[in-house]
Amino acid sequence: MQKLLSLVVVLCLSIGYSVGQKAKLQTAINFYKPPYQQFDKAKEAIDEAINHEQTKGMAKTWYYKGLIYSSLYSNEKYGSLCNNCLVEATDAFKRAMEIDPNNEWAGEIQLNQMQIMSQVFNKGVSQFKEGKYAEALTDFEMAQAMSPNDTATILNSAYAAERAGNTAKAKQYYEKLIAMNYHDEKSYDALSLIYRDEGNIDKSLEVLRKGRTSMPESRNLLLAEINILLSSGKSQEATTALDAAILKDPKNPTLYMALGSTFDNMANPKGPDGKDLAKPAQYNEYMSRAEAAYKKGLEIQPDSYEINYNLGAMYFNQAADMANAANKLSDKEYEKAKVSYEEKFKAAAPFLEKSLEINPRTTEDDQALYKGALISLKQLYVRINDTEKYNRIKGLLEQK
């Protein structure tokens, strides 16, 4: 009889303990809800409930942890009670759904998760606008943890990381977007520039070409590729890309100017010290293509002071080379060569004059082209013995 009594006592204690733990859950609920809303006591009770065998396997326990922790985050009085309130709230909601996907709060859980993510994302946007890029990155990464495949959050994480100077993370997130087949040319362009600035030109071009494969109609990515090719000295590849760009945008004078300039530079290469190198075997072909490109650009935009300058300068340089070569000839041969180089100088004059006339001289580059045109014209008019025009140009140079 004594043994039976002991068993009954132990059984009663076990039932009482189980009820006590479920009571902790109910206590948390009571402190969470109005009129109490004592979130500190609600947190204390729910933390006990989720760590006990009797209640940690209940969807209800995790559902209320999500509600309580999300309330802590937005509460001035109790917000300091957790470091990552919203992340913990989101994890709790996820756990509730894992335990019972068809629980009675499923719709509300989904709504709460969306609201939490939106709250964190919007905070990140505000931080970004205030120039607090590292803080914005933290918020966007938190939002990513809540919704790993949300492209807007990943993209903003990349932007914030780049602005914060964290290129490793910027590359990580841009690469993630590309791997997700996210069709955004800015992501490809931004990632390409990061690699370019790191000196990895091949990787920079690889990213752009991958973007062009994904978005074959993108002119921006094509132009970005052209700029990198030109800046890295890959002239031959640049001309191919420029030809492709012109097919897409045949009325763009800037493309013709870039094409003309590229062929001009290929025909007249210079060494690292800026001195002229030997002319390539394709010199005549390159010069012909440069001239054709400049002229096509002027057909489209006759008042482009830059294209006028480039074409005039190209003719001037050709004439100067011809004049220097003529100086090595016999007198008889020199007179014949002189006629040719003077004609080339005369061909340069109207384009250089036009460039002077329409140059706005608003930027340093404008001023440099203006001065370059004056210097070329001064030498040109000496060569063809046009004293009146020489004096006019000399006077303009002296004004500067």
Side-chain angles (χ1 to χ4, degrees), residues 99-295:
I99 292 171
D100 182 5
N102 298 314
N103 68 75
E104 61 184 283
W105 312 281
E108 189 179 342
I109 285 174
Q110 185 178 18
L111 180 61
N112 273 284
Q113 287 175 314
M114 291 173 62
Q115 289 175 337
I116 290 172
M117 181 186 166
S118 178
Q119 193 173 5
V120 175
F121 182 84
N122 289 336
K123 183 183 172 212
V125 171
S126 297
Q127 299 270 40
F128 190 94
K129 288 179 178 178
E130 292 173 11
K132 299 176 181 177
Y133 302 120
E135 293 87 343
L137 175 59
T138 298
D139 290 326
F140 290 137
E141 288 185 319
M142 189 183 300
Q144 267 198 78
M146 298 174 188
S147 183
N149 295 317
D150 183 78
T151 53
T153 305
I154 300 168
L155 181 61
N156 279 278
S157 297
Y159 287 160
E162 192 172 359
R163 293 289 186 90
N166 192 335
T167 55
K169 282 193 172 180
K171 287 193 291 186
Q172 174 188 338
Y173 295 133
Y174 284 130
E175 293 280 16
K176 184 177 180 180
L177 286 168
I178 291 171
M180 294 169 68
N181 294 317
Y182 182 61
H183 290 277
D184 173 46
E185 58 186 22
K186 291 181 181 178
S187 297
Y188 287 95
D189 190 26
L191 180 59
S192 171
L193 290 175
I194 291 174
Y195 282 120
R196 185 202 68 181
D197 292 342
E198 291 177 346
N200 194 340
I201 301 302
D202 290 340
K203 186 66 176 177
S204 177
L205 290 169
E206 177 188 320
V207 169
L208 289 173
R209 287 164 182 169
K210 187 181 293 184
R212 288 183 57 204
T213 300
S214 176
M215 293 170 282
E217 297 305 314
S218 173
R219 284 186 295 174
N220 290 332
L221 291 179
L222 179 54
L223 292 175
E225 180 183 342
I226 290 167
N227 286 331
I228 291 177
L229 289 169
L230 290 173
S231 64
S232 59
K234 297 179 181 290
S235 300
Q236 192 66 60
E237 292 179 62
T239 62
T240 301
L242 280 163
D243 283 335
I246 287 170
L247 286 175
K248 291 179 181 293
D249 191 5
K251 297 296 183 182
N252 187 336
T254 302
L255 295 177
Y256 291 102
M257 184 175 76
L259 184 62
S261 177
T262 303
F263 275 115
D264 194 349
N265 290 332
M266 288 168 64
N268 301 282
K270 295 183 181 298
D273 57 0
K275 293 183 179 179
D276 291 335
L277 299 177
K279 305 297 185 189
Q282 306 93 331
Y283 174 80
N284 290 331
E285 176 193 344
Y286 292 162
M287 291 300 284
S288 178
R289 294 250 2 224
E291 181 180 26
Y294 287 143
K295 286 184 173 180

Side-chain angles (χ1 to χ4, degrees), residues 314-326 329 332-348 380 383-384:
M314 187 185 81
Y315 286 152
F316 177 89
N317 291 333
Q318 280 183 295
D321 286 343
M322 292 165 67
N324 290 335
L329 300 175
K332 183 177 180 181
E333 290 174 323
Y334 173 81
E335 289 302 322
K336 187 184 295 184
K338 180 181 177 184
V339 173
S340 296
Y341 75 66
E342 285 186 346
E343 287 301 314
K344 187 63 75 171
F345 275 126
K346 290 176 182 177
L380 185 157
R383 289 285 194 172
I384 62 174

Side-chain angles (χ1 to χ4, degrees), residues 44-57:
E44 182 180 344
I46 201 67
D47 284 348
E48 287 190 41
I50 64 166
N51 285 301
H52 195 273
E53 292 295 330
Q54 297 292 333
T55 45
K56 71 179 183 180

